[in-house]
Amino acid sequence: MEKINAIITGVGGYVPDYILTNEELSRMVDTTDEWIMERVGIKERRILTEEGLGTSYMARKAAKQLLEKTGADPDSIDALIVTTTTPDYKFPSTASIVIGKLGLKNAFGFDFSAACCGFLYSLDVASTMIQSGRYKRIIVIAADKMSSVVDYTDRQTCVLFGDGAAAVLVEGTTEENVGVQDSFLRTDGKGLPFLHMKAGGSVCPASQFTVDRRLHYLYQEGRTVFKYAVTSMSSDIMEILKRNNLSGDDVAWVVPHEANLRIIEAVAKRANVPLEKVIINIQHYGNTSAATIPLALWDEEAKLKKGDNLIFTAFGAGFVHGASYYKWVYDGASATAKK
Ligand code: ACO
Protein backbone atom coordinates (compact mmCIF):
# COMPACT_ATOMS: atom_id res chain seq x y z
CA MET A 1 0.00 0.00 0.00
CA GLU A 2 1.24 3.49 -0.84
CA LYS A 3 2.14 5.63 2.15
CA ILE A 4 -0.68 7.96 3.12
CA ASN A 5 0.12 11.38 4.52
CA ALA A 6 -2.38 13.25 6.71
CA ILE A 7 -3.07 16.80 5.58
CA ILE A 8 -5.19 19.67 6.80
CA THR A 9 -7.44 20.69 3.90
CA GLY A 10 -9.35 23.51 5.59
CA VAL A 11 -9.82 25.56 8.75
CA GLY A 12 -13.01 26.93 10.30
CA GLY A 13 -13.36 29.06 13.38
CA TYR A 14 -15.76 30.78 15.70
CA VAL A 15 -15.37 33.34 18.45
CA PRO A 16 -18.32 34.80 20.39
CA ASP A 17 -19.33 38.39 19.69
CA TYR A 18 -18.96 39.68 23.24
CA ILE A 19 -15.61 41.39 23.80
CA LEU A 20 -14.36 41.56 27.39
CA THR A 21 -11.80 44.36 27.49
CA ASN A 22 -9.09 45.12 30.03
CA GLU A 23 -11.02 48.26 30.82
CA GLU A 24 -14.11 46.25 31.80
CA LEU A 25 -11.99 43.78 33.82
CA SER A 26 -10.42 46.65 35.71
CA ARG A 27 -13.90 47.54 36.93
CA MET A 28 -14.47 43.94 38.11
CA VAL A 29 -11.15 43.27 39.92
CA ASP A 30 -8.12 45.26 41.08
CA THR A 31 -6.18 45.33 37.81
CA THR A 32 -5.20 47.70 35.02
CA ASP A 33 -4.74 47.64 31.27
CA GLU A 34 -1.07 48.55 31.83
CA TRP A 35 -0.45 45.54 34.12
CA ILE A 36 -2.19 43.11 31.79
CA MET A 37 -0.45 44.41 28.66
CA GLU A 38 2.96 44.45 30.31
CA ARG A 39 2.75 41.06 32.07
CA VAL A 40 0.51 39.09 29.71
CA GLY A 41 -0.04 40.98 26.42
CA ILE A 42 -3.81 40.49 26.20
CA LYS A 43 -5.98 43.44 25.20
CA GLU A 44 -9.35 41.70 24.97
CA ARG A 45 -10.97 38.27 24.92
CA ARG A 46 -14.24 36.87 23.58
CA ILE A 47 -16.84 35.53 26.00
CA LEU A 48 -19.85 33.33 25.26
CA THR A 49 -22.39 35.17 27.37
CA GLU A 50 -25.67 33.66 26.16
CA GLU A 51 -27.20 31.47 28.84
CA GLY A 52 -27.58 27.81 28.00
CA LEU A 53 -24.82 27.77 25.39
CA GLY A 54 -21.68 25.74 25.96
CA THR A 55 -18.57 24.55 24.18
CA SER A 56 -20.55 22.47 21.66
CA TYR A 57 -22.20 25.63 20.34
CA MET A 58 -18.85 27.17 19.40
CA ALA A 59 -17.53 23.81 18.17
CA ARG A 60 -20.55 23.36 15.92
CA LYS A 61 -20.20 26.88 14.48
CA ALA A 62 -16.52 26.29 13.70
CA ALA A 63 -17.22 22.90 12.10
CA LYS A 64 -20.12 24.28 10.08
CA GLN A 65 -17.90 26.98 8.64
CA LEU A 66 -15.26 24.35 7.91
CA LEU A 67 -17.75 22.22 5.96
CA GLU A 68 -18.93 25.28 4.01
CA LYS A 69 -15.39 26.45 3.20
CA THR A 70 -14.12 23.04 2.11
CA GLY A 71 -17.35 21.92 0.45
CA ALA A 72 -16.94 18.55 2.18
CA ASP A 73 -20.08 16.40 2.10
CA PRO A 74 -21.21 15.89 5.75
CA ASP A 75 -21.98 12.25 4.89
CA SER A 76 -18.32 11.72 3.97
CA ILE A 77 -17.02 12.50 7.47
CA ASP A 78 -15.79 9.32 9.18
CA ALA A 79 -14.93 10.72 12.60
CA LEU A 80 -15.12 13.87 14.68
CA ILE A 81 -12.87 14.63 17.62
CA VAL A 82 -13.59 17.45 20.06
CA THR A 83 -10.63 18.36 22.21
CA THR A 84 -11.69 20.40 25.20
CA THR A 85 -11.26 20.92 28.94
CA THR A 86 -14.70 22.45 29.21
CA PRO A 87 -17.14 19.90 27.76
CA ASP A 88 -20.85 20.71 27.78
CA TYR A 89 -21.46 17.85 30.22
CA LYS A 90 -19.42 15.11 31.90
CA PHE A 91 -21.43 12.84 29.65
CA PRO A 92 -22.43 12.47 26.94
CA SER A 93 -19.41 13.65 24.99
CA THR A 94 -19.42 17.08 23.41
CA ALA A 95 -18.49 15.33 20.15
CA SER A 96 -21.77 13.39 20.24
CA ILE A 97 -23.71 16.65 20.62
CA VAL A 98 -21.84 18.27 17.73
CA ILE A 99 -22.33 15.21 15.49
CA GLY A 100 -26.05 15.28 16.24
CA LYS A 101 -26.41 18.99 15.52
CA LEU A 102 -24.39 18.78 12.31
CA GLY A 103 -26.27 15.67 11.18
CA LEU A 104 -23.14 13.63 10.42
CA LYS A 105 -24.75 10.29 9.61
CA ASN A 106 -21.61 8.23 9.04
CA ALA A 107 -19.29 9.55 11.75
CA PHE A 108 -18.27 8.35 15.18
CA GLY A 109 -16.92 10.86 17.65
CA PHE A 110 -15.21 11.27 20.97
CA ASP A 111 -13.82 13.92 23.29
CA PHE A 112 -10.12 14.21 23.88
CA SER A 113 -8.70 15.77 27.01
CA ALA A 114 -5.21 17.22 26.88
CA ALA A 115 -5.77 20.77 28.17
CA CYS A 116 -3.90 23.34 26.07
CA CYS A 117 -2.11 20.57 24.13
CA GLY A 118 -5.43 19.21 22.90
CA PHE A 119 -4.99 20.30 19.31
CA LEU A 120 -1.43 19.05 19.05
CA TYR A 121 -2.32 15.64 20.50
CA SER A 122 -5.59 15.18 18.61
CA LEU A 123 -4.05 16.19 15.29
CA ASP A 124 -1.50 13.43 15.85
CA VAL A 125 -4.22 10.91 16.68
CA ALA A 126 -6.29 11.95 13.65
CA SER A 127 -3.27 11.79 11.38
CA THR A 128 -2.46 8.27 12.59
CA MET A 129 -6.06 7.23 11.90
CA ILE A 130 -5.78 8.68 8.38
CA GLN A 131 -2.39 7.07 7.77
CA SER A 132 -3.86 3.68 8.68
CA GLY A 133 -6.02 3.93 5.57
CA ARG A 134 -9.14 3.05 7.55
CA TYR A 135 -10.54 6.59 7.74
CA LYS A 136 -10.66 9.18 4.97
CA ARG A 137 -12.00 12.35 6.54
CA ILE A 138 -11.79 13.46 10.15
CA ILE A 139 -12.88 16.74 11.70
CA VAL A 140 -10.73 17.84 14.63
CA ILE A 141 -12.32 20.60 16.71
CA ALA A 142 -10.50 22.40 19.51
CA ALA A 143 -12.96 24.35 21.61
CA ASP A 144 -13.02 25.80 25.08
CA LYS A 145 -15.42 27.96 27.03
CA MET A 146 -12.81 28.99 29.59
CA SER A 147 -15.20 31.60 31.03
CA SER A 148 -17.15 28.66 32.51
CA VAL A 149 -14.20 27.72 34.78
CA VAL A 150 -12.69 31.13 35.47
CA ASP A 151 -13.29 32.95 38.73
CA TYR A 152 -14.07 36.56 37.81
CA THR A 153 -13.22 37.69 41.35
CA ASP A 154 -9.63 36.39 41.04
CA ARG A 155 -7.39 38.92 39.29
CA GLN A 156 -4.56 36.41 38.93
CA THR A 157 -6.51 34.24 36.49
CA CYS A 158 -9.53 36.11 35.14
CA VAL A 159 -7.46 38.37 32.90
CA LEU A 160 -5.86 35.42 31.10
CA PHE A 161 -8.59 33.41 29.42
CA GLY A 162 -11.19 33.65 26.67
CA ASP A 163 -13.66 31.48 24.74
CA GLY A 164 -13.35 30.20 21.19
CA ALA A 165 -13.31 27.24 18.82
CA ALA A 166 -11.59 26.21 15.63
CA ALA A 167 -11.85 23.13 13.44
CA VAL A 168 -9.67 21.50 10.81
CA LEU A 169 -10.47 18.86 8.23
CA VAL A 170 -7.86 16.10 8.14
CA GLU A 171 -7.67 13.98 4.98
CA GLY A 172 -5.20 11.63 3.32
CA THR A 173 -2.98 12.02 0.30
CA THR A 174 -0.33 9.90 -1.36
CA GLU A 175 1.62 13.05 -2.24
CA GLU A 176 5.00 12.76 -0.53
CA ASN A 177 6.45 15.05 2.14
CA VAL A 178 3.29 17.02 2.95
CA GLY A 179 1.08 17.39 5.99
CA VAL A 180 1.98 16.03 9.41
CA GLN A 181 5.70 15.23 9.20
CA ASP A 182 6.67 14.58 12.79
CA SER A 183 5.46 15.05 16.35
CA PHE A 184 7.31 15.14 19.63
CA LEU A 185 4.69 14.83 22.36
CA ARG A 186 5.19 14.35 26.07
CA THR A 187 3.14 14.18 29.30
CA ASP A 188 5.31 14.55 32.36
CA GLY A 189 2.67 14.11 35.06
CA LYS A 190 4.21 16.66 37.41
CA GLY A 191 1.71 19.42 36.85
CA LEU A 192 -1.26 18.51 39.06
CA PRO A 193 -0.36 20.70 42.08
CA PHE A 194 0.25 23.73 39.89
CA LEU A 195 -2.70 23.74 37.50
CA HIS A 196 -6.05 22.07 38.14
CA MET A 197 -9.66 22.42 39.20
CA LYS A 198 -10.09 21.27 42.78
CA ALA A 199 -13.65 19.96 42.67
CA GLY A 200 -16.22 18.54 40.31
CA GLY A 201 -14.33 15.37 39.40
CA SER A 202 -14.53 11.91 40.98
CA VAL A 203 -12.01 12.76 43.74
CA CYS A 204 -14.10 15.63 45.03
CA PRO A 205 -17.61 15.67 43.53
CA ALA A 206 -19.69 18.83 43.57
CA SER A 207 -21.39 19.60 46.89
CA GLN A 208 -22.53 22.60 48.87
CA PHE A 209 -19.10 22.53 50.53
CA THR A 210 -17.22 22.77 47.21
CA VAL A 211 -19.48 25.52 45.92
CA ASP A 212 -19.21 27.55 49.13
CA ARG A 213 -15.40 27.35 48.92
CA ARG A 214 -15.32 28.30 45.23
CA LEU A 215 -13.53 25.07 44.27
CA HIS A 216 -15.02 24.83 40.77
CA TYR A 217 -12.65 27.29 39.21
CA LEU A 218 -9.28 26.98 37.52
CA TYR A 219 -6.45 27.09 40.05
CA GLN A 220 -2.88 27.77 39.01
CA GLU A 221 0.47 28.78 40.39
CA GLY A 222 1.29 31.17 37.59
CA ARG A 223 5.04 31.53 38.09
CA THR A 224 5.69 27.78 38.14
CA VAL A 225 3.50 27.23 35.09
CA PHE A 226 5.30 30.07 33.32
CA LYS A 227 8.72 28.52 33.90
CA TYR A 228 7.70 25.02 32.83
CA ALA A 229 5.94 26.41 29.75
CA VAL A 230 9.00 28.32 28.54
CA THR A 231 11.44 25.47 29.18
CA SER A 232 9.23 22.77 27.67
CA MET A 233 8.04 24.54 24.52
CA SER A 234 11.48 25.86 23.62
CA SER A 235 13.20 22.50 24.07
CA ASP A 236 10.36 20.74 22.19
CA ILE A 237 10.83 23.09 19.23
CA MET A 238 14.58 22.53 19.25
CA GLU A 239 14.06 18.76 19.39
CA ILE A 240 11.67 18.73 16.43
CA LEU A 241 13.97 20.99 14.38
CA LYS A 242 16.99 18.85 15.18
CA ARG A 243 15.49 15.50 14.34
CA ASN A 244 14.12 16.83 11.03
CA ASN A 245 17.37 18.60 10.09
CA LEU A 246 15.65 21.98 10.03
CA SER A 247 17.08 25.33 10.99
CA GLY A 248 15.14 28.46 11.88
CA ASP A 249 15.61 29.56 8.24
CA ASP A 250 13.64 26.55 6.98
CA VAL A 251 10.63 27.42 9.12
CA ALA A 252 7.94 29.69 7.67
CA TRP A 253 5.86 29.98 10.83
CA VAL A 254 5.92 28.87 14.44
CA VAL A 255 2.36 28.61 15.77
CA PRO A 256 2.57 28.45 19.57
CA HIS A 257 -0.07 27.96 22.22
CA GLU A 258 -1.08 31.50 23.20
CA ALA A 259 -1.03 31.79 27.01
CA ASN A 260 1.14 34.82 27.68
CA LEU A 261 3.02 37.06 25.23
CA ARG A 262 6.08 36.92 27.49
CA ILE A 263 6.05 33.11 27.31
CA ILE A 264 5.87 33.25 23.50
CA GLU A 265 8.71 35.78 23.31
CA ALA A 266 10.90 33.77 25.67
CA VAL A 267 10.23 30.53 23.76
CA ALA A 268 11.08 32.15 20.41
CA LYS A 269 14.29 33.59 21.82
CA ARG A 270 15.44 30.30 23.36
CA ALA A 271 14.55 28.31 20.25
CA ASN A 272 16.33 30.90 18.11
CA VAL A 273 13.29 31.69 15.95
CA PRO A 274 12.77 35.35 14.99
CA LEU A 275 9.57 36.79 16.42
CA GLU A 276 8.45 37.86 12.91
CA LYS A 277 8.01 34.16 12.16
CA VAL A 278 5.75 33.55 15.14
CA ILE A 279 1.99 33.80 14.70
CA ILE A 280 0.62 35.79 17.63
CA ASN A 281 -3.04 36.66 18.19
CA ILE A 282 -3.20 36.50 21.99
CA GLN A 283 -3.96 40.24 22.16
CA HIS A 284 -7.45 39.62 20.67
CA TYR A 285 -8.53 36.32 22.21
CA GLY A 286 -6.44 35.63 25.33
CA ASN A 287 -5.81 32.00 26.24
CA THR A 288 -8.56 29.88 24.68
CA SER A 289 -6.77 26.69 25.84
CA ALA A 290 -6.98 23.92 23.21
CA ALA A 291 -8.31 26.34 20.60
CA THR A 292 -5.38 28.76 20.44
CA ILE A 293 -3.34 27.02 17.72
CA PRO A 294 -6.15 26.31 15.22
CA LEU A 295 -7.64 29.76 15.95
CA ALA A 296 -4.28 31.25 14.98
CA LEU A 297 -4.35 29.19 11.74
CA TRP A 298 -7.89 30.41 11.09
CA ASP A 299 -7.01 34.04 11.82
CA GLU A 300 -3.85 34.06 9.74
CA GLU A 301 -4.83 31.54 7.07
CA ALA A 302 -4.24 34.12 4.32
CA LYS A 303 -0.53 34.22 5.21
CA LEU A 304 -0.05 30.46 4.83
CA LYS A 305 1.33 29.22 1.52
CA LYS A 306 1.59 25.79 -0.02
CA GLY A 307 4.88 24.25 1.05
CA ASP A 308 5.32 26.36 4.20
CA ASN A 309 7.02 24.54 7.07
CA LEU A 310 5.03 25.12 10.24
CA ILE A 311 6.03 24.25 13.78
CA PHE A 312 3.22 23.90 16.32
CA THR A 313 4.06 23.91 20.02
CA ALA A 314 1.94 23.84 23.15
CA PHE A 315 2.02 23.38 26.89
CA GLY A 316 -0.74 22.81 29.41
CA ALA A 317 -2.16 21.21 32.54
CA GLY A 318 -0.69 17.82 33.37
CA PHE A 319 1.86 18.92 32.40
CA VAL A 320 1.38 18.15 28.72
CA HIS A 321 3.67 19.58 26.07
CA GLY A 322 5.14 19.03 22.66
CA ALA A 323 5.89 20.28 19.17
CA SER A 324 4.90 19.14 15.68
CA TYR A 325 6.35 19.71 12.25
CA TYR A 326 3.68 20.26 9.61
CA LYS A 327 4.04 21.09 5.89
CA TRP A 328 1.11 23.24 4.74
CA VAL A 329 -0.65 22.10 1.52
CA TYR A 330 -2.69 24.99 0.14
CA ASP A 331 -2.56 28.72 -0.39
CA GLY A 332 -4.54 30.15 2.49
CA ALA A 333 -5.40 33.39 0.71
CA SER A 334 -7.81 31.61 -1.66
CA ALA A 335 -9.48 29.80 1.27
CA THR A 336 -10.03 32.96 3.30
CA ALA A 337 -12.03 34.41 0.44
CA LYS A 338 -14.70 31.87 1.47
CA LYS A 339 -14.58 32.82 5.18
N1 ACO B 1 -3.50 42.85 37.92
C1 ACO B 1 -2.65 43.48 38.75
N2 ACO B 1 -1.79 42.84 39.55
C2 ACO B 1 -1.79 41.50 39.49
C3 ACO B 1 -2.67 40.78 38.66
C4 ACO B 1 -3.54 41.51 37.87
N3 ACO B 1 -4.41 40.91 37.01
N4 ACO B 1 -2.42 39.46 38.83
C5 ACO B 1 -1.43 39.35 39.73
N5 ACO B 1 -1.07 40.59 40.14
C6 ACO B 1 -0.05 40.94 41.12
C7 ACO B 1 0.24 39.84 42.11
O1 ACO B 1 -0.71 39.86 43.17
C8 ACO B 1 1.63 40.20 42.58
O2 ACO B 1 1.53 41.23 43.51
P1 ACO B 1 2.52 41.26 44.79
O3 ACO B 1 3.88 41.39 44.21
O4 ACO B 1 2.04 42.45 45.55
O5 ACO B 1 2.30 39.94 45.49
C9 ACO B 1 2.28 40.78 41.31
O6 ACO B 1 1.20 41.13 40.44
C10 ACO B 1 3.18 39.80 40.61
O7 ACO B 1 2.50 38.55 40.52
P2 ACO B 1 3.13 37.33 39.78
O8 ACO B 1 2.20 36.16 39.91
O9 ACO B 1 4.54 37.14 40.20
O10 ACO B 1 3.11 37.87 38.29
P3 ACO B 1 3.73 37.23 37.01
O11 ACO B 1 4.61 38.17 36.36
O12 ACO B 1 4.22 35.83 37.27
O13 ACO B 1 2.43 37.10 36.09
C11 ACO B 1 0.92 35.43 35.29
C12 ACO B 1 1.35 36.27 36.48
C13 ACO B 1 0.45 36.34 34.20
C14 ACO B 1 -0.22 34.52 35.74
C15 ACO B 1 2.12 34.60 34.80
O14 ACO B 1 2.72 33.93 35.87
C16 ACO B 1 1.73 33.60 33.75
O15 ACO B 1 1.37 33.96 32.65
N6 ACO B 1 1.86 32.32 34.05
C17 ACO B 1 1.53 31.28 33.12
C18 ACO B 1 0.05 31.16 33.10
C19 ACO B 1 -0.40 30.28 32.01
O16 ACO B 1 0.08 30.38 30.91
N7 ACO B 1 -1.35 29.44 32.32
C20 ACO B 1 -1.97 28.62 31.44
C21 ACO B 1 -1.00 27.66 30.81
S1 ACO B 1 -1.63 26.14 30.67
C22 ACO B 1 -3.08 26.44 29.97
O17 ACO B 1 -3.15 27.22 29.05
C23 ACO B 1 -4.28 25.79 30.52
Side-chain angles (χ1 to χ4, degrees):
M1 192 172 96
E2 266 187 296
K3 182 174 182 260
I4 301 169
N5 279 311
I7 54 173
I8 292 172
T9 54
V11 188
Y14 175 79
V15 286
D17 292 334
Y18 190 80
I19 299 175
L20 177 59
T21 61
N22 290 348
E23 204 275 320
E24 185 175 353
L25 276 169
S26 66
R27 282 185 265 121
M28 294 157 64
V29 290
D30 181 15
T31 192
T32 59
D33 176 56
E34 294 73 43
W35 192 95
I36 302 170
M37 286 308 287
E38 195 190 308
R39 308 291 269 227
V40 202
I42 299 171
K43 196 76 193 160
E44 59 195 31
R45 55 300 277 145
R46 301 300 182 100
I47 305 292
L48 187 62
T49 50
E50 289 86 347
E51 236 173 85
L53 295 184
T55 294
S56 74
Y57 175 78
M58 299 187 292
R60 161 162 60 102
K61 290 267 196 187
K64 200 159 185 293
Q65 187 190 64
L66 174 72
L67 290 170
E68 280 161 13
K69 276 173 73 179
T70 56
D73 177 358
D75 291 351
S76 72
I77 304 300
D78 298 312
L80 181 142
I81 303 172
V82 175
T83 182
T84 183
T85 309
T86 53
D88 281 18
Y89 304 98
K90 275 200 178 299
F91 61 91
S93 68
T94 301
S96 68
I97 298 167
V98 176
I99 285 178
K101 292 277 186 196
L102 292 175
L104 306 183
K105 292 202 284 289
N106 300 312
F108 77 102
F110 56 93
D111 288 4
F112 195 108
S113 164
C116 302
C117 261
F119 180 73
L120 219 57
Y121 281 25
S122 49
L123 180 63
D124 207 54
V125 168
S127 82
T128 310
M129 289 166 70
I130 293 288
Q131 283 158 1
S132 76
R134 195 158 157 194
Y135 306 101
K136 304 271 183 277
R137 282 185 160 169
I138 302 176
I139 294 178
V140 174
I141 309 173
D144 268 303
K145 184 182 168 185
M146 294 307 287
S147 63
S148 66
V149 293
V150 164
D151 181 352
Y152 285 96
T153 65
D154 173 15
R155 70 174 183 175
Q156 314 231 22
T157 50
C158 74
V159 301
L160 305 174
F161 296 94
D163 302 338
V168 297
L169 185 62
V170 186
E171 299 186 77
T173 178
T174 50
E175 192 183 337
E176 287 175 12
N177 302 323
V178 291
V180 179
Q181 300 293 291
D182 192 15
S183 297
F184 176 78
L185 307 176
R186 290 291 182 271
T187 304
D188 75 10
K190 294 185 194 128
L192 174 63
F194 311 112
L195 186 52
H196 60 267
M197 188 190 291
K198 294 189 184 301
S202 56
V203 167
C204 185
S207 65
Q208 194 59 54
F209 177 90
T210 63
V211 172
D212 288 346
R213 280 159 189 76
R214 307 180 72 78
L215 302 182
H216 292 273
Y217 296 117
L218 179 148
Y219 169 85
Q220 78 165 344
E221 291 179 21
R223 275 190 207 178
T224 310
V225 175
F226 190 106
K227 278 189 213 143
Y228 270 98
V230 171
T231 315
S232 306
M233 286 196 283
S234 53
S235 65
D236 295 344
I237 293 177
M238 289 189 281
E239 175 68 25
I240 206 96
L241 292 178
K242 190 171 130 211
R243 69 190 206 182
N244 290 282
N245 293 318
L246 297 170
S247 74
D249 290 343
D250 302 314
V251 174
W253 300 105
V254 170
V255 191
H257 171 51
E258 317 257 338
N260 181 321
L261 184 58
R262 284 190 300 139
I263 294 178
I264 296 173
E265 288 169 349
V267 167
K269 194 167 172 204
R270 278 179 174 228
N272 212 11
V273 176
L275 214 49
E276 307 80 71
K277 288 190 172 190
V278 182
I279 293 187
I280 299 171
N281 66 356
I282 188 171
Q283 59 279 17
H284 303 305
Y285 303 139
N287 182 347
T288 53
S289 194
T292 63
I293 292 177
L295 264 183
L297 296 176
W298 177 65
D299 243 5
E300 302 294 349
E301 194 180 13
K303 282 185 183 166
L304 306 175
K305 296 194 183 63
K306 187 173 163 55
D308 276 356
N309 289 327
L310 269 52
I311 304 291
F312 304 137
T313 186
F315 176 87
F319 292 124
V320 291
H321 61 95
S324 300
Y325 165 31
Y326 182 87
K327 196 178 268 289
W328 197 251
V329 296
Y330 65 90
D331 286 320
S334 50
T336 41
K338 300 179 211 157
K339 202 163 152 181

